[in-house]
Amino acid sequence: MIALRQGDITIFEGEAIVNAANSSLLGGGGVDGAIHKSAGKGLLEECKILGGCKTGEAKITRGYNLKAQFVIHTVGPVWQGGSWGEAELLASCYKNSLQLAVEKGIKSIAFPNISTGIYRFPKEEAGKIAVQTVVEFLHKHPDMEVYFYCFDRENYALYSRLLKEN
Ligand code: AR6
């Protein structure tokens, strides 16, 4: 199942939310800042012992003061024009986050629009990659519930269209 939501991902009441982090995993702006603020200091303490995360990979922590039990931290690619493997790396973020969720027995997961803020990945292309990767994954894991949390109107309108086409 795929569902679309508009707004702040930190209010998600399912099992896991995905964080669009940076490779230090020590917090930042955008959705990362919002998640750390809502989760509280415990999240940062746990992130400190993870040793960072490479672009395209994912790591999991508890959710602390969030309603979601877990946070899956993934590091999206910085957009550098498109010929530096950005598309493959973004697809890996979605795949590795979903794979980690399966390994932990998580059945509901919410994604932000990874890389489309501070990392400047073009929204249309990022949306297509996100939807396509999740749709493919759900063929093999039909019991998983995936929520796309779109913060800005442009992404929300884009995902409404992309999900109708799929
Ligand atoms: N809930 C859901 N989506 C949000 C929220 C929120 N509370 N706040 C922003 N967004 P960004 P990136 C959307 O910049 O591009 C951080 O500093 C936002 O509108 O958060 O992957 C990290 O530490 C956009 O569509 O992440 C990294 O250094 C999407 O989330 C860097 O930013 C992603 O925007 C990562 O950049």
Side-chain angles (χ1 to χ4, degrees):
M1 186 219 78
I2 301 183
L4 179 59
R5 298 277 183 274
Q6 185 162 21
D8 184 355
I9 200 168
T10 63
I11 66 162
F12 181 63
E13 294 188 357
E15 290 171 77
I17 63 174
V18 176
N19 182 16
N22 60 63
S23 55
S24 77
L25 296 186
L26 300 180
V31 69
D32 193 8
I35 289 172
H36 275 272
K37 194 172 168 203
S38 298
K41 272 196 295 185
L43 180 62
L44 181 60
E45 291 308 312
E46 188 176 351
C47 283
K48 280 182 186 165
I49 58 171
L50 294 178
C53 182
K54 289 184 187 145
T55 304
E57 296 184 358
K59 294 198 175 173
I60 191 164
T61 63
R62 300 191 56 76
Y64 299 91
N65 298 336
L66 292 163
K67 294 207 172 74
Q69 220 185 325
F70 297 100
V71 179
I72 294 175
H73 307 261
T74 189
V75 182
V78 177
W79 181 258
Q80 296 179 88
S83 43
W84 296 89
E86 292 96 325
E88 292 77 10
L89 287 166
L90 186 62
S92 294
C93 288
Y94 286 92
K95 277 185 221 157
N96 288 328
S97 298
L98 289 163
Q99 189 53 42
L100 202 47
V102 167
E103 283 163 21
K104 297 286 173 186
I106 291 164
K107 294 266 184 282
S108 60
I109 181 169
F111 282 96
N113 307 127
I114 302 165
S115 281
T116 67
I118 293 164
Y119 284 177
R120 305 180 316 272
F121 203 113
K123 288 179 183 172
E124 172 97 23
E125 198 179 335
K128 283 182 181 159
I129 292 166
V131 170
Q132 198 184 349
T133 307
V134 168
V135 166
E136 266 171 38
F137 181 87
L138 288 177
H139 288 316
K140 286 184 226 136
H141 302 277
D143 53 341
M144 181 78 91
E145 292 177 12
V146 178
Y147 295 78
F148 286 117
Y149 268 76
C150 297
F151 199 61
D152 54 275
R153 278 165 187 263
E154 195 186 340
N155 266 319
Y156 185 78
L158 171 66
Y159 274 71
S160 307
R161 171 163 61 78
L162 291 174
L163 290 171
K164 273 185 207 132
E165 286 167 9
N166 265 271

